[in-house]
Amino acid sequence: MAKTERSQIEERLRSGLRGLFSPSAPFREPLLAVLERIRHRGWSAALFGGALRDLAAGPTVVLPRDFDIVVAGVSLPALETAFAGEARRLTRYGGLHLLVGG
């Protein structure tokens, strides 16, 4: 991948992420609530998956349907406790599917 192409992809991703956290973004509050709960416990996490892929690909009119967050070094029981009110089921990959803010 050429350096300029990589720079363009990185800028689209940065721009898209700024959009996700803008005051008018529909997912802002639920996403911030999850990230804040993770941060409050001192856990490390990273956003990944299809939402980031779509943001890096460029402008789209389709909103992400979900966000994938990996939390490093935290057991599933600890996650289930932290997100007891939002936990809906286990995913096929062994993760926890949350429903936050509708």
Side-chain angles (χ1 to χ4, degrees):
M1 176 182 311
K3 187 174 183 178
T4 56
E5 182 182 3
R6 180 178 173 166
S7 295
Q8 291 170 342
I9 292 170
E10 288 174 356
E11 183 49 41
R12 284 194 302 263
L13 185 55
R14 282 188 187 94
S15 176
L17 285 169
R18 281 191 298 271
L20 283 180
F21 293 102
S22 73
S24 63
F27 299 115
R28 181 178 191 266
E29 294 306 318
L31 188 54
L32 285 175
V34 169
L35 295 173
E36 176 58 25
R37 198 170 310 174
I38 291 168
R39 187 199 65 77
H40 179 74
R41 286 170 173 72
W43 298 340
S44 296
L47 190 62
F48 74 104
L52 291 183
R53 178 202 58 227
D54 294 346
L55 292 173
T60 179
V61 294
V62 178
L63 293 173
R65 71 182 180 112
D66 64 7
F67 297 94
D68 301 307
I69 301 170
V70 64
V71 182
V74 178
S75 69
L76 184 57
L79 287 170
E80 289 173 321
T81 298
F83 294 100
E86 293 88 7
R88 295 296 177 245
R89 62 177 170 79
L90 292 178
T91 68
R92 63 181 166 209
Y93 304 108
L96 193 58
H97 180 222
L98 305 178
L99 180 62
V100 180

